[in-house]
Amino acid sequence: MRDKKGRTASVLRSVGGMTLLLVIVTGCAPVPVGTAASSCAVKEIVLGNSDLRPGGEIQLSVDWMTARCEDTGGTNRPAEDIDVTITPMESSESRHLGTIQSAAGPHFTAAGTFPLPDDIPAGDGILTVTSTTEEGAVAELPITLAAE
């Protein structure tokens, strides 16, 4: 609910003898491509055509992999030396899948296809994409590796 000046409003309401405070939170406005405000955007791993099993491969991309958060001003620079790892829940031992040299393009996208080790255990795990430079941009995604 917004007031006449467009500010988000709070609403108090009594329901069944209880008072509820309803706060309506509005989403962020679209962020123009390449602006400083987009550098701290949530980094989401998107899987492409992947074969998620031991000996298979994983294809991924992540937008907004920048060297540092520039929301207060400054010019975005692509993250470099981006490590791709997977950590199976069964062993909790992180396995390095490969490195992406640098993010590229107008959305600072890190992308690649990586082989999955033959001896990686099937089951749940966490896929992690991390820049090792400056602030270390990070994205994580829960995945499930199928049995062979």
Side-chain angles (χ1 to χ4, degrees):
M1 185 177 292
R2 292 190 177 259
D3 64 13
K4 290 180 182 179
K5 293 184 180 179
R7 295 180 291 213
T8 301
S10 299
V11 177
L12 286 175
R13 173 168 255 165
S14 180
V15 177
M18 298 177 64
T19 301
L20 299 175
L21 173 63
L22 174 64
V23 178
I24 300 171
V25 180
T26 59
C28 297
V31 177
V33 173
T35 65
S38 59
S39 68
C40 295
V42 173
K43 285 122 182 79
E44 180 180 343
I45 298 172
V46 176
L47 296 182
N49 187 16
S50 298
D51 182 11
L52 299 178
R53 63 182 170 82
E57 65 181 20
I58 191 162
Q59 182 182 56
L60 61 92
S61 67
V62 184
D63 287 346
W64 305 116
M65 291 296 286
T66 56
R68 49 180 301 134
C69 179
E70 296 291 355
D71 281 357
T72 58
T75 302
N76 279 326
R77 290 176 293 123
E80 297 177 339
D81 298 322
I82 303 164
D83 286 332
V84 178
T85 59
I86 189 167
T87 306
M89 295 300 190
E90 179 182 298
S91 68
S92 297
E93 180 184 324
S94 183
R95 305 283 297 269
H96 187 260
L97 300 180
T99 302
I100 300 168
Q101 186 176 5
S102 179
H107 290 195
F108 301 93
T109 303
T113 301
F114 304 93
L116 294 169
D118 291 329
D119 63 345
I120 197 162
D124 294 335
I126 301 290
L127 176 66
T128 307
V129 179
T130 307
S131 171
T132 59
T133 55
E134 293 198 35
E135 291 180 351
V138 177
E140 292 185 329
L141 178 69
I143 61 168
T144 301
L145 296 167
E148 291 186 61

